[in-house]
Amino acid sequence: MSKINLTSQIFSLSFLFCILVINVKAQNQIEKVLINEAERTTQDSFIFSAQTPKGARVFAASKPSSKMLNSIDAGLSDLFTVARRNNYSKRLKYSDYTIFIAKADRTKNSDSQYSPDIVIGAAQYARSIYDQGGFVYAAGLVLAFNPCAFVIAEHSKDFQRVSDVVRFEGEHLVLYHNHRKRYNKTADHSQGGGHPILQ
Ligand SMILES: [Zn+2]
């Protein structure tokens, strides 16, 4: 090996190393922004981080139970199945998703059914049927599109509901990345329309 070759190899190695370091830094920065946004939206602190068995990223206000984590995987799995049926191919990996588990701001809905939900500012839902006077209760809320992130409430039972909420919030993200027109039409429920969107 000539000296020049060796030098250029060392150079490209250190270059690669720099890119890796920069990537890790950018990743951390994105994560920080995401966590800030989740904390601002829910008023919770997401001090626990975890991964579902299938590789989705989780931040939680309380230590997440394995039932919560497995139900998130089941919801994503349903989402990916229905997305493929619609010939969508983007963002269909578990690791594409970051899920925040917030503390429930209520555990029963107005019909006294078990329904852990989070409170969010009314904004576009003002004066719609969802409006409770400046705020609304939501089962879930999309936080970011890149990376795909949403928040749901912690459940201690009825884990099927967790899977459903994950699938439903995920629908917005899958549509955003695969079918923007349909995303735009279905993103705002105050104009009517709910879930499931994809059949
Ligand atoms: Zn929705």
Side-chain angles (χ1 to χ4, degrees):
M1 190 180 284
S2 77
K3 198 177 172 189
I4 288 184
N5 246 338
L6 187 65
T7 313
S8 77
Q9 271 198 356
I10 288 170
F11 177 75
S12 64
L13 263 183
S14 65
F15 183 63
L16 191 68
F17 182 71
C18 280
I19 288 183
L20 284 178
V21 170
I22 288 166
N23 259 337
V24 167
K25 261 198 167 162
Q27 205 62 41
N28 286 342
Q29 199 54 40
I30 289 168
E31 210 158 76
K32 248 187 223 159
V33 170
L34 207 52
I35 292 171
N36 279 343
E37 177 63 14
E39 297 194 334
R40 195 184 62 79
T41 306
T42 62
Q43 307 290 312
D44 284 336
S45 303
F46 296 94
I47 52 175
F48 293 90
S49 75
Q51 217 172 25
T52 65
K54 292 188 172 165
R57 195 119 177 69
V58 172
F59 293 100
S62 319
K63 194 172 188 306
S65 67
S66 59
K67 279 184 177 162
M68 277 300 292
L69 297 179
N70 289 331
S71 308
I72 288 169
D73 273 346
L76 287 175
S77 171
D78 288 348
L79 172 69
F80 299 158
T81 302
V82 75
R84 286 199 186 94
R85 208 181 299 146
N86 283 266
N87 292 319
Y88 300 150
S89 58
K90 291 177 197 149
R91 307 296 173 110
L92 304 188
K93 290 199 305 279
Y94 294 88
S95 57
D96 289 332
Y97 289 82
T98 302
I99 295 102
F100 289 84
I101 306 174
K103 289 189 174 136
D105 294 312
R106 72 171 180 189
T107 52
K108 283 179 179 171
N109 63 17
S110 47
D111 298 325
S112 298
Q113 299 290 317
Y114 183 69
S115 177
D117 296 315
I118 51 172
V119 150
I120 52 172
Q124 79 266 31
Y125 290 104
R127 289 181 298 281
S128 78
I129 54 160
Y130 298 101
D131 192 5
Q132 315 272 319
F135 63 91
V136 294
Y137 285 105
L141 181 75
V142 169
L143 288 173
F145 297 97
N146 275 308
C148 293
F150 56 85
V151 57
I152 61 173
E154 186 181 6
H155 286 54
S156 55
K157 58 182 181 183
D158 190 10
F159 291 98
Q160 181 57 46
R161 186 170 184 270
V162 173
S163 299
D164 289 345
V165 174
V166 165
R167 187 218 145 148
F168 294 161
E169 292 312 316
E171 285 188 323
H172 292 300
L173 293 165
V174 160
L175 283 172
Y176 181 87
H177 288 286
N178 292 275
H179 197 157
R180 192 64 60 88
K181 231 181 172 172
R182 200 169 172 196
Y183 163 78
N184 287 331
K185 256 196 231 160
T186 51
D188 180 1
H189 300 306
S190 68
Q191 306 300 314
H195 293 279
I197 301 167
L198 297 173
Q199 303 285 342

